Amino acid sequence: MDIITIIGLVAAGCTTTSFIPQAIKTIRTKNTSGISLAMYSLFALGTLLWLLFGIFSSNLPVSLANAVTLVFASIILVYKIKYR
Amino acid sequence: MDIITIIGLVAAGCTTTSFIPQAIKTIRTKNTSGISLAMYSLFALGTLLWLLFGIFSSNLPVSLANAVTLVFASIILVYKIKYR
């Protein structure tokens, strides 16, 4: 595996898993005052469209990464709507 | 342009621009109590690596999208460190 592919895989790992600590913090504290509703609305819509793009183009890495991100981004969005 | 490409472009537009309203909110309010430091540390590192991946693989859309996202994610990260 070449260095560019490794950089891409580590990059995907970082951006995909980064929403997990935010979701845990939001669930624990229910503090959503500093979180932007516009950001999570746009971001959840974007990851849903990325997931559809991945499924329609038979791209498993794109589908998997965005399925994981969509779960955690949706949790944060639901908490933001419920506890704003 | 086929429908799958259009879905991918709209997806990229949503996820890339979603950090702009969060950065504006964070700059205006300086309220970062609900924002996860771990999320923005991981996410900024991830977008930096995506940018390097895009540059090294001569992929202009990946480079451009992640350059934009990196700017706004870094602003939020700096505010989180400064005003936590």
Side-chain angles (χ1 to χ4, degrees), chain B residues 39-74:
Chain B
M39 172 186 161
Y40 280 93
S41 305
L42 263 176
F43 193 82
L45 175 64
T47 48
L48 176 66
L49 292 172
W50 272 127
L51 176 59
L52 293 176
F53 173 85
I55 292 167
F56 291 152
S57 59
S58 304
N59 188 322
L60 189 65
V62 169
S63 304
L64 272 180
N66 283 285
V68 172
T69 310
L70 181 59
V71 169
F72 293 101
S74 299

Side-chain angles (χ1 to χ4, degrees), chain A residues 4 7-8 10-12 14-15 18-19 21-22 25 31 33-36 38-40 42-43 45-47 49-50 53 56, chain B residues 4 7-8 10-12 14-15 18-19 21-22 25 31 33-36 38-40 42-43 45-47 49-50 53 56:
Chain A
I4 296 175
I7 291 173
V10 177
C14 287
T15 51
S18 66
F19 286 84
Q22 178 67 68
K25 185 185 177 90
N31 176 357
S33 60
I35 287 174
S36 163
M39 172 187 161
Y40 280 93
L42 262 176
F43 193 83
L45 175 64
T47 49
L49 291 173
W50 272 126
F53 173 85
F56 291 150
Chain B
I4 297 175
I7 290 173
V10 177
C14 288
T15 52
S18 66
F19 286 84
Q22 178 66 67
K25 186 185 176 91
N31 177 356
S33 61
I35 287 174
S36 163
M39 172 186 161
Y40 280 93
L42 263 176
F43 193 82
L45 175 64
T47 48
L49 292 172
W50 272 127
F53 173 85
F56 291 152

Side-chain angles (χ1 to χ4, degrees), chain A:
Chain A
M1 200 183 292
D2 66 288
I3 185 73
I4 296 175
T5 305
I6 293 169
I7 291 173
L9 287 173
V10 177
C14 287
T15 51
T16 301
T17 56
S18 66
F19 286 84
I20 299 176
Q22 178 67 68
I24 292 170
K25 185 185 177 90
T26 304
I27 291 167
R28 277 192 185 153
T29 65
K30 296 185 179 65
N31 176 357
T32 64
S33 60
I35 287 174
S36 163
L37 178 63
M39 172 187 161
Y40 280 93
S41 304
L42 262 176
F43 193 83
L45 175 64
T47 49
L48 175 65
L49 291 173
W50 272 126
L51 176 59
L52 293 176
F53 173 85
I55 292 167
F56 291 150
S57 59
S58 305
N59 188 320
L60 189 64
V62 169
S63 305
L64 272 180
N66 283 285
V68 172
T69 310
L70 181 59
V71 169
F72 293 101
S74 299
I75 290 170
I76 300 162
L77 178 60
V78 167
Y79 269 73
K80 175 63 190 174
I81 292 167
K82 205 172 165 187
Y83 296 103
R84 60 179 155 173

